[in-house]
Structures are given as structure tokens and as C-alpha cells.
Amino acid sequence: MLHGKSQAWFQEHWGAPGAKTKRLFGGETWVYVRLVGTSSSPLSTMAPADCQIRLDFDAKGTLEDSGYSGC
């Protein structure tokens, strides 16, 4: 659904990434970290977890692959 979106689109809608790295054959990998699993209930025992979202952009700055962990 997000494939083909530009880096500018992600900057505008998701904010600045937590980390950026260059890819071997051009482009960049961006990583966003979000807290998930939080609850406003004081009786909840569910601890928040870090969700890492990886976005791989091609040399033109468009999203070509993505992945996540800990979500």
C-alpha cells in the first residue's frame, strides 16, 4: 500500500526517522521506532514494546521494500 511513496511523503506524515543508513547499491534505509501495546487502564499488565519499522528507498527516493519487528 505504501510502495512507491516518496521520502518526502514519509517525512511529512511520519516525521523524521530514528535512523538513516545508505544502501549498497544506492538509496537509503530508514528506521522508525514506535511504542505499541500501551494501555490507559491502571489495571493493565501489558508492558509497551518497541516496534521497529524499516523502509528501504531506491536511489530515486521511492519506497521499494519495508519490514517490521517487535510489533
Side-chain angles (χ1 to χ4, degrees):
M1 175 168 60
L2 296 174
H3 288 270
K5 297 279 186 192
S6 69
Q7 290 174 326
W9 187 91
F10 284 97
Q11 282 276 133
E12 180 180 335
H13 292 90
W14 290 21
K20 292 181 184 181
T21 59
K22 296 286 183 190
R23 296 178 67 198
L24 183 60
F25 296 106
E28 293 182 324
T29 296
W30 289 11
V31 177
Y32 288 90
V33 179
R34 301 287 191 251
L35 285 178
V36 294
T38 58
S39 173
S40 60
S41 170
L43 301 176
S44 175
T45 60
M46 191 171 168
D50 285 337
C51 176
Q52 294 186 2
I53 304 164
R54 186 198 82 251
L55 303 175
D56 294 328
F57 295 96
D58 63 16
K60 296 177 185 174
T62 56
L63 184 66
E64 68 177 10
D65 195 20
S66 62
Y68 61 90
S69 64
C71 301

